[in-house]
Amino acid sequence: MEKDTQIFGIRAIIEAIQSGKTIDKVFLQKGLRGDLFQELETLIKRENINYSYVPVEKLNRLNNKNHQGAIAQISPIDFVDIETLVMQASEATKTPLFLLLDQVNDVRNFGAIIRTAECTGVNGIIIQKKGGAPVNGDTIKTSAGAVFKIPICKVDHIKDALFHLQASGIKVIAATEKTDNTLYDISLKEPSAIIMGSEGRGINPSVLKLVDDKAKLPLLGEIESLNVSVACGAFLYEAIRQRR
């Protein structure tokens, strides 16, 4: 975690949250007690901010100053809400293209996906508030700065975004091996949103039940899956090919 993306100290983090700063994640010391610490915990949970309890040794490694048992990671970007994202994209083009990431948790994959999405004209990336990779210095570096050039939206759950997209006339397609359709069997010419799953688990089964279509990439070798950022690139460039 880069020092310039940190806030440390319980009171400082409380004030940052109350002032509307975009907090990516808060690291809290395991076993800590006290009224102020409890106030911070309550605020984090009420604002649905991503957090985890860690040993004091981890906090000391992150920042050896007087952290008081709490360190927050600040996002270097401002996130947009789902309503604004869809409205702006629909005003800009008749065939918007969105990307949903269901808890992609490797920061290098996340950065590479953002870079490819920007290069392929994706109108916005939608991520879940909890469980995915943070937007931090490594993300910026891996994305080659693309993180500043494409709107990113955070939702409480991917299902929230899926329902909103479908209600807005956007077809939602899951990139999954759990289908007989390949990527080349489906249409990406209309307004579309592609869901990519996490590196280990893939797309959540409860999300898969709600999509409009599913597609997989043909794999001709012995390895059963592609890196998620590579698979994402294949899907996005097929969308470009169909739309040309």
Side-chain angles (χ1 to χ4, degrees), residues 4 9 19 31-32 35 37-38 44 58 69 80 91 109-110 117 120 123 127 132-133 142 148 163 217 220 228 234:
D4 60 354
S19 69
L32 204 61
D35 292 344
F37 189 76
Q38 189 174 13
I44 288 168
K58 173 158 186 175
V80 299
E91 288 174 352
N109 282 335
F110 186 30
T120 51
N123 296 97
I127 60 176
T142 316
F148 299 117
F163 291 138
L217 287 165
L220 308 181
V228 64

Side-chain angles (χ1 to χ4, degrees), residues 170-198:
I170 294 156
K171 182 170 80 169
V172 180
I173 300 141
T176 175
E177 76 284 355
K178 296 171 182 174
T179 179
D180 293 327
N181 292 333
T182 73
L183 170 59
Y184 312 113
D185 298 325
I186 64 167
S187 171
L188 293 164
K189 292 180 180 180
E190 57 264 54
S192 304
I194 298 166
I195 305 183
M196 308 299 301
S198 66

Side-chain angles (χ1 to χ4, degrees), residues 1-3 5 71 77 119 135 139 142 147 160 182 189:
M1 194 194 298
E2 296 75 12
K3 296 289 186 287
T5 61
I71 297 177
I77 64 166
C119 288
V135 179
T139 317
T142 316
V147 70
D160 300 335
T182 73
K189 292 180 180 180

